[in-house]
Amino acid sequence: MSRRQRAAERDAEFADYLAARQPALLRTAYLLTGERAEAEDLLQTSLAKLYLAWGRVRDKGATDAYVRRIMVNELNSLWRRAWKRREVTTEQVPETAPHHDDAFDGTHDELWQVVQSLPERARAVVVLRYYEQLSEPEVADVLGISVGTVKSQCSRAMATLRERVPAHLHPGHEEDDR
């Protein structure tokens, strides 16, 4: 097989992966960042890095985990950059079209606002553990921390969420009213 044919095959594989997984990865990026534009930037950067490494990804079944690891590493790099903390003023605010994600029909907006109030590391643990439904060892691997740290971060985050979540969002709230 020629180099050109291998490149075309690799590009087709990557395009198929994107078509199947990009919406779910964008939701994960959004949950990690809390902002649509930042999520799109984070995912675009992560997918660009994935594309560059696509030929070296041996286990295609673990590609999502690989991308999540890239996203978390990129996000950690963004948190560390000093320019991220600076505000830039402008005369005009750009107009953007609202985005509607079918996975978020509005009923969970209030809950995700509370999740967004968590510190970055705790939010990443909660998103990967409960939204992505990764096991504790998988979350530890993605974040590059120990399983014990995942457990303690998750426990503290859940305790914080229990305190901050409005009463009407607690499970069983409607049954109490009957």
Side-chain angles (χ1 to χ4, degrees), residues 129-172:
R129 182 76 176 100
Y130 296 106
Y131 177 75
E132 287 290 327
Q133 297 180 349
L134 299 181
S135 67
E136 289 167 343
E138 289 171 326
V139 173
D141 184 50
V142 168
L143 295 175
I145 58 178
S146 72
V147 174
T149 302
V150 169
K151 289 178 181 182
S152 65
Q153 287 279 324
C154 197
S155 176
R156 280 189 226 121
M158 294 307 291
T160 301
L161 289 174
R162 282 185 201 97
E163 291 172 5
R164 293 181 184 174
V165 169
H168 69 277
L169 292 177
H170 282 273

Side-chain angles (χ1 to χ4, degrees), residues 14 17-18 21-23 25-26 40-54 63 67 70-71 74:
F14 188 76
Y17 174 77
L18 283 182
R21 299 301 303 152
Q22 192 168 4
L25 293 170
L26 180 59
E40 289 172 347
D41 290 346
L42 175 64
L43 182 59
Q44 182 177 359
T45 301
S46 300
L47 290 175
K49 289 185 175 192
L50 174 64
Y51 178 77
L52 293 174
W54 189 254
T63 305
V67 175
I70 294 171
M71 284 195 286
E74 276 301 303

Side-chain angles (χ1 to χ4, degrees), residues 37-107:
E38 283 186 37
E40 289 172 347
D41 290 346
L42 175 64
L43 182 59
Q44 182 177 359
T45 301
S46 300
L47 290 175
K49 289 185 175 192
L50 174 64
Y51 178 77
L52 293 174
W54 189 254
R56 295 187 307 267
V57 176
R58 291 188 181 100
D59 183 5
K60 299 296 185 200
T63 305
D64 281 358
Y66 186 66
V67 175
R68 284 190 296 265
R69 179 64 183 245
I70 294 171
M71 284 195 286
V72 168
N73 288 344
E74 276 301 303
L75 196 55
N76 286 338
S77 294
L78 288 173
W79 291 335
R80 291 182 186 119
R81 291 184 187 147
W83 63 264
K84 172 121 172 65
R85 291 186 280 271
R86 289 188 219 135
E87 289 184 17
V88 179
T89 59
T90 181
E91 291 286 324
Q92 292 182 326
V93 177
E95 292 293 324
T96 58
H99 173 75
H100 176 70
D101 191 339
D102 292 335
F104 295 102
D105 59 4
T107 58

Side-chain angles (χ1 to χ4, degrees), residues 105-125:
D105 59 4
T107 58
H108 300 293
D109 288 347
E110 217 174 336
L111 178 60
W112 282 112
Q113 286 175 2
V114 177
V115 172
Q116 293 301 319
S117 72
L118 292 172
E120 290 89 2
R121 172 78 52 105
R123 183 172 60 230
V125 168

